[in-house]
Every structure is written in C-alpha cells, then in structure tokens.
Amino acid sequence: MLNGAVANRYARALISYAQEHGVVEDIGAQLGKIRAFLGASKELSQFLASPVVTPAEKMKALEGVLGEPLRPDLARFLTVLLERGRGSYLALVSDRYQDLADALNGRVRVEIETAQPLTEADLDELVRRLTEACGKTVVPKVIENPALIAGVRIHVGHRVLDATTANALRQFRDRLLARAVRKEGIR
C-alpha cells in the first residue's frame, strides 16, 4: 500500500531523529495526543488533508486542539509533512512512529476484549502472563464487549487469541453444519 510506505518513511525519519536526540518518548507523547484527536474527530482529519487550507492554518489548528505548544522539533516535522501535502498521512505516521518506539523500548501494545469488566488483580495476572509469553512489556488496552458472552479475546499485533464463549459457540455451530453437510452427501 503506497500510503503505508509513505507514512513508514516519515515515521522512520522522525524516530531516527528522536532516537539520536534522546526524545523518543517526548515526541511520542505529543504525537500520541494528536493521534487521539484525529481518531476522535473526522473533521480534523479532513481539515488536515484539505488542499485548500494552508500549512500554517493546519499547524495553528493542531496547536489549538493540543492545548499546549508543540515541541519545536515536532513542529518542524509536522510543518514539512503539511507543506508536502501529507496531512492525510498524519494518523498513519503517528501509528507507525508508536510501533517503532515500542519496538525500541521492548513494549508491545495489546488489546484485550472482555465480556465483563476485569478486576485489577485479573488484569495484572493477564498482563504478567502476556509479558512472559511475549518477552516484552505489555501495554494493555481493555475494551468491554458484552457480545462475547464470556471470556476474553486478545489482539497482539496481527494475532488474535480468542477464548470467548461466542467463539466456542461459533465453532460448535460450524462443526454441526459440517457434519450435516457430510451426512447429506453420503445419502
């Protein structure tokens, strides 16, 4: 995907700079806040992608939603990104930067879906086990999803561990249907 390659190139340049200057986490924090705003506001994403809006107006908007001054180095980076007409790539660049920063710092982000709220002790135990299994520090994001009925579904990168009742019922249904099809074929 071309836009992924472009975003990757910008993210790698930024992480390289940040690593060289010892500011990986600082830049990541501000970039993460911007990413959160982009995820919450389709209008902001469209505004940054607009060819009609000037890069200076886009920068002013970013600082406005952030509610704090941008780091000068991040402001320069974003200005270059916007001047080159790459405002629509900002969310992808931010995501890729976070992935690279996590890899540098031995972290892995994990999404944990549960049917019911987890107790703090249960979450701590789950994070401990995942940390042992991954060999990296696990940064959990817990999402409640009652449709799972019971159990937990864990997303680690592109892998999904599904230990939910909904999944067990789906697999059971599929096995019954497969058996019914085989029996019909035998007659």
Side-chain angles (χ1 to χ4, degrees):
M1 178 155 63
L2 184 59
N3 56 356
V6 171
N8 192 42
R9 193 168 49 242
Y10 279 99
R12 286 191 177 282
L14 184 58
I15 198 83
S16 178
Y17 166 87
Q19 192 175 9
E20 186 177 313
H21 291 86
V23 292
V24 171
E25 296 302 315
D26 297 335
I27 286 177
Q30 274 200 332
L31 205 52
K33 288 177 186 176
I34 292 169
R35 177 62 177 105
F37 286 117
L38 289 171
S41 172
K42 187 176 182 179
E43 294 80 16
L44 179 60
S45 296
Q46 290 171 339
F47 180 80
L48 294 175
S50 173
V52 181
V53 182
T54 68
E57 292 170 317
K58 293 175 183 181
M59 285 299 293
K60 189 174 181 179
L62 283 173
E63 285 186 334
V65 297
L66 196 57
E68 64 187 50
L70 281 165
R71 294 178 47 86
D73 45 12
L74 183 56
R76 284 190 305 275
F77 173 80
L78 293 173
T79 299
V80 168
L81 190 77
L82 296 171
E83 285 175 348
R84 293 182 179 174
R86 305 289 195 192
S88 62
Y89 293 84
L90 186 51
L92 286 172
V93 170
S94 178
D95 291 344
R96 186 62 185 133
Y97 178 92
Q98 194 61 58
D99 291 343
L100 294 168
D102 287 345
L104 280 174
N105 293 304
R107 292 186 303 248
V108 63
R109 296 192 184 272
V110 175
E111 187 176 282
I112 301 169
E113 283 184 89
T114 64
Q116 290 86 29
L118 289 175
T119 66
E120 196 168 323
D122 288 340
L123 179 59
D124 290 345
E125 177 62 18
L126 187 55
V127 167
R128 184 189 66 73
R129 286 183 174 184
L130 288 169
T131 298
E132 284 177 9
C134 296
K136 296 181 178 184
T137 303
V138 169
V139 180
K141 176 181 177 184
V142 178
I143 299 168
E144 288 182 37
N145 181 355
L148 300 179
I149 303 171
V152 64
R153 181 183 300 146
I154 301 169
H155 302 263
V156 182
H158 298 295
R159 292 184 180 153
V160 178
L161 301 146
D162 196 334
T164 62
T165 301
N167 185 50
L169 290 171
R170 189 172 33 259
Q171 289 177 358
F172 181 65
R173 181 197 67 213
D174 292 347
R175 284 194 305 272
L176 287 176
L177 288 173
R179 247 186 244 149
V181 167
R182 279 194 303 251
K183 284 183 180 178
E184 286 295 317
I186 294 173
R187 291 182 186 190

